[in-house]
């Protein structure tokens, strides 16, 4: 059993001054038990914790570190930028540079607005959709997580479901009534909801590849069906690509699966590890945003030079080397096959979901295609697996309702070590 004495001591101290000792609930290990690990530093595919343990990282800050931790081009860009000031609250050229690059990489968007988190991006996108369509209701999907804005904390995924409080206190009935809940991968259900709320729905917001109830790809025809439904009923289709954007392909899921969204939200990779969110759409929609149009949205640190420098370095490298996405997908497939072989050999009931460089392991025999089937997973087994893998020097998501994120810094030796670790953990279960 690995010793985490210093992490535990730091956690005890943190809990005195930070609620739950963390600044984001899912880090608290509540779903898997034990004290969270405090990281001292990270480099490439590895985390180095406060007790001197080296861990192979499959979280990568929940997605941003797609090229690995402390990636020199990103770090150097931030260092150089910081020497010239960290924030001005005035427009800077680098904002235009990264905006133009992002718009060139992502289909169906002419313009993009930068904010400071995925939550802000999704919250702003919904307000824009409501302002543009002059309709109030939204459809979201059970188990999808779009950040912690009130309208989204209705059967949310990720940390919200991990805590069994999908409908968070503090969200008013008035807010909740405008959020309609649909089942992921269930087009008939969405159609029923649209027909029952004719003329009232501003947008459908979806994770086009879900990552907050484990990794759940859309079934064939599902996204295409949503597109047709939206076209038939003047509803805007919002792809929440905070996780999938610049990860599954240069142009995200729109490029990978060939379905067009009306508004696309971003986070994580677009900021290269610094706080950046963004949302983009065609000009006709974005021109409704202040100061051009009446839909208000703002932020003191939006587009700040440091975050833009990190994001621009990240997107520049991904744009120039699209073969990275194939390499990531190949590594993820290799990991999938290796883990499946070992788990099957040890007769461990499981399913593994994967798309591109997103993957999740579920300890249940039924296919995981929506929130309900994701919730069937055996959490006791997951907890055992999580801590076992930790003892093998492998850090996976501390919740069954999360996706693992593969980074390009992971080598096939790291993958082999991970697969070997799985075999040690499940042997004799
Ligand atoms: P942030 O506000 O955390 O930057 O982004 C919210 C968000 C929006 N949309 C999707 C699809 C997301 O996955 C997220 C955030 N993802 C979680 C991980 N499942 C962030 C981790 C955390 O909450 O600490």
């Amino acid at each position: 059993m690995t010793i985490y004495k210093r992490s535990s001591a730091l956690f005890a101290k943190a809990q005195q001054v930070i609620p739950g000792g963390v600044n984001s609930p899912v880090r608290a290990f509540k779903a898997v038990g034990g004290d969270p690990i405090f990281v001292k530093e990270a480099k490439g595919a590895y985390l180095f914790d406060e007790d001197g343990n080296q861990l192979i990282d499959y979280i990568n800050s929940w997605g941003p570190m797609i090229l690995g931790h402390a990636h020199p081009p990103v770090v150097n860009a931030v260092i150089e930028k910081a020497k010239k000031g960290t924030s001005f609250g005035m427009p800077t050229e680098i904002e235009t540079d990264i905006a133009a690059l992002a718009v060139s990489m992502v289909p169906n968007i002419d313009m993009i607005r930068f904010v400071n988190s995925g939550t802000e991006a999704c919250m702003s996108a919904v307000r824009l959709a409501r302002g543009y369509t002059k309709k109030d209701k939204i459809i979201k999907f059970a188990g999808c997580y779009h950040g912690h804005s009130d309208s989204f904390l209705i059967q949310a995924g990720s940390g919200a479901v991990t805590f069994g409080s999908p409908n968070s206190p503090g969200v008013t009935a008035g807010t909740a009534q405008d959020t309609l809940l649909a089942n992921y991968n269930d087009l008939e259900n969405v159609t029923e909801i649209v027909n029952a709320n004719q003329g009232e729905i501003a947008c459908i917001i979806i994770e086009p590849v879900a990552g907050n109830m484990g990794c759940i790809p859309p079934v064939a025809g599902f996204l295409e069906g949503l597109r047709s439904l939206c076209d038939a009923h003047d509803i805007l289709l919002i792809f929440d690509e905070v996780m999938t954007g610049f990860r599954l392909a240069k142009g995200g899921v729109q490029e990978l699966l060939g379905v067009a969204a009306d508004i696309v939200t971003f986070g994580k990779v677009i900021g290269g590890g610094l706080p950046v969110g963004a949302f983009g759409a065609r000009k006709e929609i974005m021109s409704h945003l202040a100061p051009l149009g009446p839909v208000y949205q703002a932020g003191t640190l939006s587009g700040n030079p440091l975050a833009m420098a990190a994001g621009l370095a990240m997107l520049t490298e991904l744009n120039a080397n699209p073969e990275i996405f194939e390499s990531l997908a190949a590594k993820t497939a290799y990991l999938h096959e290796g883990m499946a072989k070992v788990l099957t050999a040890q007769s461990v009931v499981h399913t593994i979901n994967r798309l591109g460089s997103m993957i999740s392991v579920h300890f249940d025999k039924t296919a995981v295609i929506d929130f309900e089937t994701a919730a069937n997973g055996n959490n006791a087994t997951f907890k055992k697996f999580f801590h076992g893998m930790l003892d093998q020097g492998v850090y996976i998501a501390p919740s069954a309702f999360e996706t693992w994120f593969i980074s390009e810094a992971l080598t096939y030796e790291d993958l082999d070590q991970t697969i070997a670790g799985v075999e040690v953990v499940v042997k004799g279960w």
Side-chain angles (χ1 to χ4, degrees):
M1 178 78 174
T2 312
I3 305 302
Y4 297 106
K5 260 173 69 179
R6 182 153 165 67
S7 275
S8 293
L10 289 170
F11 185 48
K13 206 168 145 196
Q15 291 176 87
Q16 304 305 311
V17 285
I18 300 172
V22 291
N23 283 306
S24 197
V26 75
R27 303 175 190 168
F29 277 24
K30 279 276 185 280
V32 292
D35 290 343
I37 291 174
F38 278 59
V39 179
K40 194 183 190 76
E41 59 186 303
K43 180 71 181 154
Y46 313 117
L47 299 167
F48 301 91
D49 75 11
E50 289 285 354
D51 290 283
N53 301 302
Q54 176 178 320
L55 301 167
I56 300 175
D57 186 11
Y58 285 97
I59 296 301
N60 286 294
S61 180
W62 301 98
M65 314 324 292
I66 192 170
L67 296 177
H69 289 286
H71 187 58
V74 174
V75 172
N76 296 336
V78 173
I79 290 170
E80 287 315 306
K81 210 54 167 171
K83 291 174 183 170
K84 297 172 182 164
T86 55
S87 181
F88 313 113
M90 298 162 71
T92 58
E93 184 178 9
I94 193 168
E95 295 164 76
T96 309
D97 295 343
I98 185 175
L101 178 56
V103 163
S104 75
M105 293 169 77
V106 177
N108 308 308
I109 68 171
D110 304 323
M111 305 187 96
I112 190 167
R113 169 63 62 85
F114 288 98
V115 293
N116 302 281
S117 69
T119 295
E120 262 195 275
C122 294
M123 176 181 82
S124 307
V126 163
R127 183 180 311 134
L128 177 59
R130 284 171 161 156
Y132 177 78
T133 62
K134 299 182 179 47
K135 295 186 277 183
D136 294 344
K137 291 186 174 173
I138 70 170
I139 292 178
K140 78 171 287 287
F141 292 84
C144 281
Y145 179 70
H146 306 291
H148 61 92
S149 170
D150 283 3
S151 298
F152 301 138
L153 290 180
I154 316 289
Q155 278 277 321
S158 180
V161 77
T162 302
F163 286 78
S165 61
N167 305 304
S168 169
V171 176
T172 65
T175 300
Q177 71 182 10
D178 284 335
T179 298
L180 305 170
L181 207 59
N183 300 323
Y184 202 82
N185 277 325
D186 185 346
L187 193 57
E188 197 181 317
N189 172 242
V190 187
T191 307
E192 281 163 13
I193 294 169
V194 169
N195 291 335
N197 295 272
Q198 289 277 2
E200 296 183 75
I201 300 171
C203 61
I204 294 175
I205 183 167
I206 188 166
E207 292 178 53
V209 173
N212 287 293
M213 29 184 172
C215 171
I216 300 185
V219 298
F222 179 57
L223 296 180
E224 295 80 354
L226 293 181
R227 180 67 272 166
S228 307
L229 206 53
C230 286
D231 291 342
H233 294 272
D234 291 328
I235 296 170
L236 293 187
L237 181 57
I238 301 177
F239 273 8
D240 174 354
E241 294 221 46
V242 166
M243 265 190 186
T244 58
F246 308 109
R247 168 167 284 281
L248 296 187
K250 251 169 73 165
V253 173
Q254 289 189 102
E255 175 191 316
L256 192 72
L257 302 182
V259 178
D262 296 302
I263 303 177
V264 193
T265 63
F266 304 99
K268 300 179 192 282
V269 172
I270 198 172
L274 266 68
V276 179
F279 58 107
R282 54 185 186 273
K283 198 167 185 174
E284 178 215 351
I285 296 174
M286 294 300 275
S287 59
H288 282 67
L289 267 184
L292 268 183
V295 178
Y296 198 69
Q297 180 277 325
T300 301
L301 293 171
S302 296
N304 79 78
L306 288 202
M308 295 293 95
L312 182 59
M314 177 69 87
L315 295 196
T316 301
E317 185 158 346
L318 294 174
N319 188 46
N321 304 282
E323 69 281 359
I324 288 174
F325 299 106
E326 286 74 34
S327 170
L328 283 163
K331 288 178 178 177
T332 313
Y334 182 87
L335 180 65
H336 180 163
E337 283 143 31
M339 291 198 295
K341 195 161 158 237
V342 162
L343 290 167
T344 304
Q346 297 295 327
S347 309
V348 176
V349 172
H350 72 282
T351 58
I352 296 177
N353 284 3
R354 165 174 59 94
L355 186 67
S357 57
M358 294 167 64
I359 184 170
S360 57
V361 179
H362 303 264
F363 294 104
D364 187 53
K365 61 186 178 311
T366 49
V368 176
I369 59 161
D370 58 14
F371 179 61
E372 191 183 339
T373 46
N376 286 342
N378 184 318
N379 200 51
T381 305
F382 183 84
K383 281 170 77 166
K384 206 166 53 168
F385 183 65
F386 172 80
H387 286 290
M389 291 306 286
L390 210 47
D391 283 347
Q392 295 298 313
V394 178
Y395 188 68
I396 65 172
S399 160
F401 291 95
E402 297 291 355
T403 290
W404 307 10
F405 296 96
I406 305 301
S407 86
E408 185 57 6
L410 279 160
T411 63
Y412 279 90
E413 290 71 33
D414 295 322
L415 300 174
D416 286 336
Q417 185 182 328
T418 304
I419 294 161
V422 172
E423 186 163 31
V424 170
V425 168
V426 302
K427 215 172 199 90
W429 269 12

